[in-house]
Amino acid sequence: MSYVYAGYGITLASIGAYAAWVLWRGRALTKDRS
Amino acid sequence: VSEPVVSGGIVSERARRGTGSALTLSLGVAAFASLAATVALGLGLPRTIEQGDYSKLIAIHPGIAWASYVAFGVTALASALWLWPRTRSLTWDLLAGASAEVGALFTALTLVTGSIWGRPTWGVWWVWDARLTLSALMLALELGYLALRRVPSDAEARGRRSAVAGLLAVTVVPVNHFAVEWWRTLHQGRSLTQVTPNNSLDGQFIFAMTVGFLAMTLVYAWLTAHRLRIARLEEDVVDDDLDSALAARRREAVTA
């Protein structure tokens, strides 16, 4: 199962990290504009 | 109605409004819910005689690869719309770039999850067969495309060369998709052929894989919408900086 957990874990972590970055970056730019 | 390629006014107004809306919120909720369902369905799949637990990866790997294809397609479509004079708009150029960046993430994940699946079933992390090599080429093309977009230039020049690159890059997608039929490869046949009445997969696996396709498509769409919003805001900042610099030079000229 370790390969399965690795596949799911890396996928969720990568998507989660990128999603967090786009939300943070969007919020930071919006704050700069206001 | 086409909008100017570079227009601080129009872009600024759109940036202030942003793309955050009830639609993107709904999209995000749907993406999260379908992703959670994919994980639950995938990890809940039974062991198979051929692959044991490793077949559980069918819920995510084909869907991720599909999303990378969609990203290439959207980049190419937006590039074509930018090149067509009647539809030319800064938005298409920014959408092409946003889609390519999210696509690079999904292509990289395709390679990683495929490699993780390949190691216990094929015995190797990597082999230079047609499908894997073309997938690696897709990632290289996306990274090259993103690098090309960062070459300093005005929006017009960036839009033109990016659009041409985006249209050329998409040609690798159909070749990659049919690679498993055109050449002898270690990779199995096309996953999409399993989502038909003549499939050889159990219904439970097909259902999990189909939910995975939906989830990754929604996640791609949600991430791209937010990445496009960032690109618009960044364009806005550049326009404002340029306006400020021009105003400062004018003040210098008046006082001199």
Side-chain angles (χ1 to χ4, degrees), chain A residues 3 8 18 25 30 33, chain B residues 16 56 101 229 236 240:
Chain A
Y3 287 100
Y8 278 82
Y18 187 75
R25 180 73 176 140
T30 307
R33 301 283 311 151
Chain B
R16 269 187 281 278
K56 296 177 194 291
E101 188 174 297
R229 179 183 181 225
D236 207 25
D240 283 358

Side-chain angles (χ1 to χ4, degrees), chain A residues 4 7-8 11-12 15, chain B residues 30-45 55-64 204-219:
Chain A
V4 176
Y8 278 82
T11 298
L12 294 177
I15 290 173
Chain B
F32 182 81
S34 58
L35 193 59
T38 300
V39 173
L41 287 168
L43 292 178
L45 287 171
S55 52
K56 296 177 194 291
L57 289 164
I58 200 171
I60 54 169
H61 178 67
I64 291 169
Q204 199 176 351
F205 285 83
I206 293 173
F207 182 65
M209 185 171 68
T210 307
V211 174
F213 275 111
L214 175 69
M216 297 308 169
T217 306
L218 289 171
V219 169

Side-chain angles (χ1 to χ4, degrees), chain B residues 31-117:
Chain B
F32 182 81
S34 58
L35 193 59
T38 300
V39 173
L41 287 168
L43 292 178
L45 287 171
R47 292 171 58 88
T48 60
I49 296 170
E50 296 89 354
Q51 297 194 14
D53 285 318
Y54 309 127
S55 52
K56 296 177 194 291
L57 289 164
I58 200 171
I60 54 169
H61 178 67
I64 291 169
W66 162 256
S68 73
Y69 288 177
V70 171
F72 259 82
V74 170
T75 296
L77 181 63
S79 299
L81 289 168
W82 190 93
L83 282 175
W84 188 253
R86 296 181 69 172
T87 53
R88 183 164 299 173
S89 160
L90 177 65
T91 301
W92 296 128
D93 177 49
L94 298 180
L95 175 62
S99 179
E101 188 174 297
V102 179
L105 171 70
F106 278 98
T107 309
L109 281 174
T110 302
L111 292 170
V112 171
T113 56
S115 189
I116 287 172
W117 200 352

